[in-house]
Amino acid sequence: MAKTAKLYIAGAFPRSESGRSYVVNAANGRLLANVAAASRKDVREAVVAARAAQARWAAATAYNRGQVLYRIAEMLEDRAPTFTAAVADAEGCDDADARARVGATIDRLVWYAGWADKIAQIVGGANPVAGPFFNFSLPEPTGVVGVLAPQNSSLLGLVSVVAPVITTGNAAVVVASEARPLPAVAFAEVLATADLPGGVVNILTGRTAELAPVLAAHRDVEALDCAGAGPELSATLEEAAADNVKRVLAAPGEEEEWSASPSVQRMLAFVETKTVWHPLGI
Amino acid sequence: MAHPRFAYAPAPESRAVVRLRPSYGLFIGGEFVDPLDGGGFKTLSPATEEVLAEVAAAGPRDVDRAVRAAEEAAGPWAALAGSERAKYVFRIARLIQERARELAVLEVLDNGKPIRETRDVDIPLAAAHFFYYAGWADKLEYAGLGPAPRPIGVVGQVIPWNFPLLMAAWKLAPALAAGNTCVLKPAETTPLSALLLAEILQQAELPPGVVNIVTGAGDTGAALVAHPGVRKVAFTGSTAVGKEIQRRLAGTGKRLTLELGGKAANIVFEDAPLSQAVEGIVNGIFFNQGEVCCAGSRLLVQEPIADALVDALKRRLGTLRLGDPLDKNTDIGAINSPAQLEKIRDLAASGEQEGAQRWEAPCALPAQGWWFPPTVFTGVSPVQRIAREEIFGPVLSVLTFRTPEEAVQKANNTTYGLSAGVWTEKGSRILWMANRLRAGVVWANTFNRFDPTSPFGGYRESGFGREGGRHGLEAYLEP
């Protein structure tokens, strides 16, 4: 019998406080593993961890955040065969496809790593106000972001939604693909051994429909990416999210094609623009 | 008032420049039309309580008619070359400038704010916003939203009563430049400047249906944001209504931007230039009678200078002139509505009940109209309602702090995040503070400055999206 995969919270690997787990099968039906079925309380623990980690992560230099993301890409590349096997099992694709998806995942991390110290330059800048003031605008992280990872694309999709959130200095509480969680579990192990501070990314496995509403209603979560929610669940999450005016990326009608080139839109969904004024004078 | 030498002779602006009609219809498809659903309401002058005009109340069928007019106009307006759209928007800016005095007086009559503010702030800034965004209409490919950004379609825009024309400009100018068509719902208590703007749009020969204006109360706004033809909603107003709109739009795929309430901290360090800080505090909370979402309603002052600063502030407040808002000497006008006055009174009473010390500027309140004197609460603790809730009136709550860390902690101890102020001579401290304050606008050694090029909007429950600058286009374009 395979071992039971654990959650990833605050840089540690706890069991679910509920003691629950569920069986994960490969796309072909073969038993792969048991994974922890996170509870509502686990979600709240993960939010606490994310909150505790977020300010320091945001205060790290953009250069440093880029380095950490690049390090994650390197670690993933080191373990490419493991991830290829996990993706092939989870998604039911052949080895060549799985290799391509892992390769695209590494490229995606590198792409975002490079953005860490550039995004402020393309969306921020000086504003030529009509008066004796220096005025500039900068993007800042929104804070703690709930991320519902895509259900189909177990690794590339996961990284495509997590990387843009943390590149700009947010912390994430991620709910992994419910039926295909093992690549996310392996990714958590990469994060734990890369230099990402504990709590910046927390990964929960379990039932999306059970965990997502806790994130959507949580007063200390400032934004929500419903990528893996599906339109129906997304609508109820969007409604709950209004209680503290969360920024929400609604679920698309069907899952995105993650192999397509990304844009900066996912980063911009989870930043705030801060504008600072100061008088000019001698 | 405390000093006889400050007694000024009255210097009222003439209201003859404004010709009010007894009643106004809805502006739909380029014309003023009677409402299908038949209702109407009166708009009053807050300073005198006189009835200014009767205004149509748009019902669901009227909102539907306005959205259809905007849908019909959307295709041709979006297809127009950006340079041609720009000409219309430039023309609107010019006409606002040309009719600035008329607009300034009308805004005073309908809102109650002083002519000094409408003349020097509201109207020139409204014109400037149209002028700024007119220039974007043929440059959208440079807005950082991809090589060929597209308009969204029909946008529904609901605006508040505190800066009626300026808020209309903030909403309409970027939407039009980006190629959208609009249905605008002005606030129930201040519809007149938007209706004068409708005349200006006719004068500018804006194609019919590109902008439609539906007057009414909250149910008109609710019908507008819920209309299936509206693809994007922009709302400025209270956080409670903003949340309700966000809930209503859940699952619809409509785009949304919200500019909501605030409870800004204005933070004064012991090394700040005291007299400048006093002016900044006054401007921060008593500008527009404090009816400003980004008002500096919480003064955080460093302990060693707290007494001296509050004394200087009270002396300065003793020189503010409250009264006839058409008088060019007036600093503090009328409160916009009896409902708002009641809310301010209620919160001020709670401040006393909860143990804060109340001080009012010594000024006589006119017998007619809705007035509230500049008020300062000292000895305020962070748990009191006057430290937590948006008052939206001329009421300042004074708290103290010892260290910069404590200032940041107290400033951020709110569910809002619209603006903040920092007063200190030390540059590195300004930037250290600006980094840590969770607010969309940080004014350092100044307060309540606005400019069309400068993005404005909130963190947290103060809303999302930005108005002004390149950022202001994002809400109105598809990448």
Side-chain angles (χ1 to χ4, degrees):
Chain A
M1 184 67 194
K3 66 172 184 169
T4 299
K6 295 173 185 166
L7 308 174
Y8 180 55
I9 299 175
F13 291 92
R15 294 187 174 82
S16 169
E17 60 81 30
S18 65
R20 298 180 310 179
S21 62
Y22 67 109
V23 174
V24 174
N25 296 313
N28 64 12
R30 178 168 55 93
L31 172 71
L32 288 176
N34 290 298
V35 301
S39 67
R40 292 175 174 84
K41 187 156 181 286
D42 293 320
V43 174
R44 292 193 288 269
E45 293 289 329
V47 172
V48 169
R51 172 59 57 203
Q54 194 267 325
R56 270 190 65 197
W57 177 239
T61 64
Y63 174 71
N64 180 244
R65 286 200 303 273
Q67 292 270 296
V68 170
L69 276 143
Y70 190 79
R71 180 78 189 127
I72 297 169
E74 283 180 331
M75 305 269 307
L76 218 155
E77 191 167 36
D78 286 348
R79 301 185 188 190
T82 310
F83 278 99
T84 300
V87 168
D89 279 344
E91 300 180 13
C93 59
D94 64 27
D95 259 16
D97 274 351
R99 249 197 316 279
R101 290 170 197 182
V102 172
T105 305
I106 296 162
D107 290 350
R108 185 82 16 116
L109 282 162
V110 172
W111 192 75
Y112 279 110
W115 269 119
D117 55 6
K118 295 167 192 70
I119 187 75
Q121 289 182 308
I122 69 146
V123 300
N127 306 305
V129 296
F133 296 93
F134 181 59
N135 172 305
F136 62 93
S137 295
L138 289 172
E140 289 196 343
T142 296
V144 173
V145 183
V147 176
L148 310 176
Q151 298 297 339
N152 296 332
S153 183
S154 59
L155 181 68
L156 177 58
L158 170 80
V159 166
S160 297
V161 295
V162 172
V165 166
I166 62 171
T167 298
T168 55
N170 294 293
V173 175
V174 184
V175 178
S177 166
E178 184 172 330
R180 303 173 174 181
L182 293 179
V185 169
F187 185 61
E189 284 162 14
V190 162
L191 295 178
T193 45
D195 299 320
L196 187 74
V200 173
V201 173
N202 306 274
I203 299 180
L204 306 174
T205 49
R207 288 189 54 232
T208 303
E210 179 188 0
L211 305 178
V214 186
L215 282 173
H218 200 298
R219 302 284 300 184
D220 212 24
V221 174
E222 282 128 336
L224 190 65
D225 185 343
C226 295
E232 201 176 316
L233 176 60
S234 181
T236 67
L237 300 175
E238 290 168 50
E239 193 174 344
D243 276 350
N244 67 336
V245 196
K246 282 184 183 69
R247 292 81 173 107
V248 183
L249 266 186
E254 53 188 64
E255 190 169 314
E256 266 184 57
E257 180 42 70
W258 299 105
S259 61
S261 289
S263 77
V264 296
Q265 292 306 318
R266 293 201 99 82
M267 279 186 289
L268 298 189
F270 303 117
V271 295
E272 312 290 318
T273 297
K274 177 181 280 177
T275 300
V276 181
W277 293 67
H278 196 280
L280 298 175
I282 51 173
Chain B
M1 304 290 171
H3 305 273
R5 68 177 179 279
F6 286 130
Y8 278 56
E13 180 67 58
S14 166
R15 57 183 283 183
V17 65
V18 170
R19 265 180 302 173
L20 284 166
R21 297 187 225 160
S23 70
Y24 289 84
L26 308 168
F27 184 67
I28 296 176
E31 293 172 3
F32 284 95
V33 299
D34 290 331
L36 296 171
D37 293 329
F41 59 95
K42 295 176 172 59
T43 183
L44 277 62
S45 170
T48 61
E49 301 179 44
E50 68 177 292
V51 175
L52 296 170
E54 179 97 11
V55 178
R61 287 189 299 158
D62 299 304
V63 169
D64 183 58
R65 190 157 52 136
V67 173
R68 285 171 194 278
E71 280 176 332
E72 266 179 53
W77 181 247
L80 208 58
S83 55
E84 292 303 311
R85 276 202 313 274
K87 288 176 188 172
Y88 288 106
V89 184
F90 277 125
R91 215 177 291 155
I92 295 165
R94 260 295 177 257
L95 286 164
I96 290 173
Q97 288 174 325
E98 283 173 14
R99 300 180 71 170
R101 179 172 298 222
E102 188 182 351
L103 284 161
V105 172
L106 181 62
E107 202 78 303
V108 169
L109 293 175
D110 210 16
N111 170 279
K113 65 170 70 186
I115 185 78
R116 198 163 54 83
E117 287 175 10
T118 62
R119 182 195 64 196
D120 297 348
V121 180
D122 296 61
I123 311 305
L125 268 181
H129 267 269
F130 280 106
F131 195 86
Y132 174 78
Y133 280 107
W136 267 117
D138 57 358
K139 301 171 190 67
L140 300 175
E141 65 271 32
Y142 295 98
L145 298 164
R150 290 166 292 115
I152 295 167
V154 176
V155 302
Q157 305 173 312
V158 179
I159 58 171
W161 46 260
N162 56 344
F163 295 91
L165 183 75
L166 183 57
M167 291 300 102
W170 281 27
K171 294 283 180 285
L172 295 175
L176 296 178
N180 302 280
T181 57
C182 304
V183 180
L184 177 79
K185 208 285 285 179
E188 183 185 8
T189 59
T190 55
L192 295 180
S193 57
L195 294 167
L196 181 51
L197 179 65
E199 284 181 22
I200 287 173
L201 302 178
Q202 287 177 323
Q203 246 183 310
E205 295 174 8
L206 189 72
V210 171
V211 172
N212 306 275
I213 299 174
V214 290
T215 45
D219 49 353
T220 304
L224 176 59
V225 304
H227 195 290
V230 169
R231 298 314 306 154
K232 187 256 172 330
V233 171
F235 171 75
T236 297
S238 74
T239 290
V241 174
K243 289 179 181 181
E244 197 45 50
I245 292 174
Q246 192 179 357
R247 276 183 209 109
R248 283 293 291 275
L249 265 50
T252 64
K254 291 183 188 181
R255 302 212 4 210
L256 175 64
T257 45
L258 297 171
E259 206 271 88
L260 308 176
K263 191 72 191 176
N266 202 355
I267 304 161
V268 183
F269 284 92
E270 60 181 333
D271 70 332
L274 205 66
S275 54
Q276 284 177 37
V278 167
E279 287 309 303
I281 294 160
V282 170
N283 181 39
I285 183 63
F286 301 113
F287 170 66
N288 210 46
Q289 297 73 244
E291 296 167 334
V292 184
C293 46
C294 53
S297 53
R298 288 184 296 152
L299 174 62
L300 295 183
V301 53
Q302 203 162 16
E303 268 184 17
I305 60 159
D307 291 344
L309 182 71
V310 170
D311 286 349
L313 180 64
K314 288 176 178 174
R315 275 198 303 279
R316 176 68 181 90
L317 294 180
T319 69
L320 292 181
R321 287 176 292 276
L322 176 148
D324 179 7
L326 278 172
D327 192 314
K328 285 171 274 200
N329 292 320
T330 293
D331 298 301
I332 308 284
I335 301 300
N336 181 251
S337 68
Q340 185 57 27
L341 181 59
E342 194 47 46
K343 185 186 160 199
I344 297 167
R345 283 175 174 159
D346 172 56
L347 274 159
S350 82
E352 277 182 290
Q353 283 154 15
E354 294 183 341
Q357 286 81 57
R358 179 176 185 159
W359 179 90
E360 286 177 5
C363 58
L365 303 184
Q368 287 291 306
W370 310 309
W371 306 91
F372 199 88
T375 299
V376 176
F377 279 98
T378 49
V380 177
S381 89
V383 297
Q384 291 168 354
R385 286 180 67 198
I386 54 170
R388 292 184 290 114
E389 296 180 31
E390 183 176 46
I391 298 173
F392 225 67
V395 181
L396 178 67
S397 300
V398 183
L399 298 91
T400 60
F401 69 92
R402 291 179 184 175
T403 64
E405 290 80 5
E406 188 187 353
V408 168
Q409 188 274 325
K410 282 186 166 164
N412 290 341
N413 183 18
T414 168
T415 54
Y416 295 112
L418 191 49
S419 67
V422 182
W423 297 82
T424 172
E425 291 284 61
K426 193 174 176 191
S428 58
R429 185 188 285 147
I430 290 172
L431 295 175
W432 188 91
M433 292 292 293
N435 245 332
R436 283 162 180 77
L437 291 167
R438 301 285 290 154
V441 183
V442 176
W443 286 294
N445 291 326
T446 186
F447 209 95
N448 269 348
R449 301 286 172 181
F450 308 94
D451 191 274
T453 68
S454 178
F456 181 92
Y459 282 42
R460 308 175 72 189
E461 295 189 22
S462 289
F464 45 72
R466 291 293 176 270
E467 294 180 292
R470 183 197 64 79
H471 296 73
L473 288 169
E474 288 174 9
Y476 294 103
L477 288 169
E478 300 281 4

